[in-house]
Amino acid sequence: MDANWLCFDPAPTKPSFTPPLGAVDAHCHVFGPGDVFPFAPERKYTPCDAGRDILYGLRDFLGFSRNVVVQATCHGKDNRAMVDALTHANGRARGVADVKADISHDELAAMHEAGVRGVRFNYVKRLVDPKPDEYYRGIIEKIAAFGWHVVIYFEAADLAEKRDFFLSLPTTLVVDHMGRPDVTKDVDGPEFAPFLKFMENDNIWCKVTCPERLSKSGPPTYDDFVPFARKVVETYPDRVIWGTDWPHPNLNMVGHMPDDGWLVDIIPRIAPTAELQRKLLVDNPMRLYWPEERP
Ligand code: 0GY
């Protein structure tokens, strides 16, 4: 692993908040283990190993029932570690893949069978080299047969340039980490307004995640993050999901490794009622990832 890599907290605090029955950790990753699932040559970081068994142990410890495992950039377009995690979850994990434009229908069908329900388009330049719009449109055409959605990851400053492209896409779009706002600004100010406006479109969903990346006030309470996540949850309660982001890729960029128990204890501050908590943690992720199990 990288010399300055921060490994996940091996012994997080038991959260005070008890998630509702059937709660989904809808944004997390697996890393390797590297001797079984080698990291990609084009990766921008080399993490510690963080395999599926540890992830599922954390799920149980934190009081969650299911996971959505998002392909991490350190594995590039080689989705084997993520798919292996799905196939060892007894149906309690779904996945989001990162695929090449020339992926075949049969490869997509195999991933669908394993539990993949979306692809991720990553525009964060320190993690990947973004491609032209046509490249992504080609992928959209291929996933249409499976009804998958698209997870988009971008920096706040990039929304203005990509907005029309995003809005031209026919699928559900799920934005990672609220589009990475500057949480030192006013939540009702002009900086966050374009993102809230973007969310007015019915096919745009958002993950109210990553206080450990976005906060400047820092742990354990991440106070500056809270009004931003709460604003999105209260304004768009039916299109928000939540996740730990375990094992917290690339946090050497930010400088601390969060205690995952602290992260869970933020939930009642961003979703202050039982109804909002149920939508955020159960109803919404189930609708997106396990629609066949909803009445
Ligand atoms: C995240 C965010 C980051 C990294 C990745 O796949 C990844 O490498 O997602 C990041 O560094 O901001 O969603 O975990």
Side-chain angles (χ1 to χ4, degrees), residues 7 25 28 40 93 112 124 180 215 219 224 230 235 240 261 265 281-282:
C7 202
D25 174 353
C28 52
H112 189 84
V124 177
R180 296 186 60 97
S215 174
D224 51 359
R230 182 166 171 164
T235 313
V240 284
D265 276 334
L281 298 173
V282 185

Side-chain angles (χ1 to χ4, degrees), residues 27 29 45 72-73 120 126-127 153 177 213 245 249-250:
H27 184 89
H29 311 277
Y45 61 85
T73 58
R120 191 184 203 197
R126 67 182 160 73
L127 291 169
Y153 190 22
H177 319 331
R213 287 176 198 289
D245 194 33
N250 219 6

Side-chain angles (χ1 to χ4, degrees), residues 14 25 68 172 174 204 262:
K14 188 86 180 164
D25 174 353
V68 178
T172 293
V174 185
I204 311 289
W262 299 338

Side-chain angles (χ1 to χ4, degrees), residues 7-16 58 61-62 211-212 219-222 242 244 246 248 251 256-266:
C7 202
F8 58 87
D9 184 338
T13 309
K14 188 86 180 164
S16 308
L58 180 75
F61 176 78
L62 296 176
E212 73 279 16
T221 51
Y222 302 104
W242 183 91
T244 54
W246 188 91
H248 310 288
L251 278 186
H256 80 281
M257 178 53 60
D259 176 322
D260 295 284
W262 299 338
L263 300 181
V264 173
D265 276 334
I266 295 177

